[in-house]
Amino acid sequence: MKISVYHTPEEVPTGKLPDCAIAIDVLRATTTMAAAFNAGAEAIQVFSDLDKLLSTSEQWPQKNRIRAGERGGQRVQGFDLGNSPLDHSPERTQGKRLFMSTTNGTRCLQRIEAAPIVLTAALTTRQSVVNYLLTHKLDSVWLVGSGWEGDYSLEDTVCAGAIIHSILHQHQTAYPDLMGNDAAVASVSLYQQWQTQLKELLYLASHGQRLLNQSNTVDLDYCAQLDILDVVPIQKSPGVLVWEGK
């Protein structure tokens, strides 16, 4: 297996595809998606365009849908939810389809949707994603950070590093055999430096600072947790995610 890391969707190469591409948006889209599936969501349908989300979701009965829209860290007016993993509980989410649009994470998913296998990952689901990769014995994997409006994000890269670090130790793979590019090596180094202080790193990150400016520490604390959910969201069709283990 060769794993390459791309810090933002804009870095993803054109003209080729890996066996598996994984979208990472620790703060907060992919963390929220995992929480929604853990709470019983039927599926998650992602959109970059809010109007398209609204028109598509009209085809579903109101009692069977949740519209989640976030821009700039805030819930979009008129939507049911924003982009917080703590919004989801079995009472609110069980059996419903989540129609979701966020500033960065949904855009990342659309950039890699043509790959044969598309997953999402977060710190909260790190080990579940690692288990999937080791079980399926893939030749090439891309870990793609969502970043923030085209810029690099610490939290997405440390999550990529956490995934690679776990594979290195579980599979006893040599560095040169696993690393697909220099960014993969750098991501592991970042994780090794901060692995016991993930919450502190998320507080330090620029998007963490945006959430702190909104007095939102609860989402940061939740998103910094490692390996708390046994969930692996997987793309069923372009733009539609399901939980394979459900």
Side-chain angles (χ1 to χ4, degrees), residues 25 27-33 35-36 44-47 50 53 66-88 92-93 98-104 106 207 211 214 216 219:
D25 187 0
L27 295 176
R28 294 164 285 170
T30 57
T31 305
T32 299
M33 290 171 184
I44 298 174
Q45 197 160 343
V46 299
F47 301 82
L50 292 170
L53 183 159
I66 298 174
R67 291 167 167 168
E70 172 264 322
R71 291 293 184 270
Q74 300 281 1
R75 178 174 65 88
V76 177
Q77 186 174 359
F79 280 67
D80 303 312
L81 300 176
N83 185 23
S84 170
L86 299 177
D87 284 341
H88 295 279
R92 171 175 276 171
T93 308
L98 182 63
F99 294 87
M100 186 175 186
S101 180
T102 71
T103 305
N104 303 293
T106 51
H207 191 33
L211 294 174
Q214 298 168 13
N216 188 347
D219 276 2

Side-chain angles (χ1 to χ4, degrees), residues 117-171:
I117 300 172
V118 175
L119 310 176
T120 70
L123 289 169
T124 56
T125 64
R126 187 271 306 259
Q127 192 56 51
S128 298
V129 171
V130 168
N131 293 341
Y132 181 97
L133 294 177
L134 292 177
T135 298
H136 288 76
K137 303 183 187 303
L138 303 160
D139 289 332
S140 58
V141 176
W142 290 354
L143 302 176
V144 184
S146 297
W148 177 267
E149 297 182 347
D151 288 338
Y152 166 91
S153 289
L154 281 171
E155 65 275 6
D156 295 343
T157 301
V158 82
C159 181
I163 291 169
I164 298 171
H165 184 269
S166 182
I167 292 173
L168 282 166
H169 283 75
Q170 283 187 238
H171 202 243

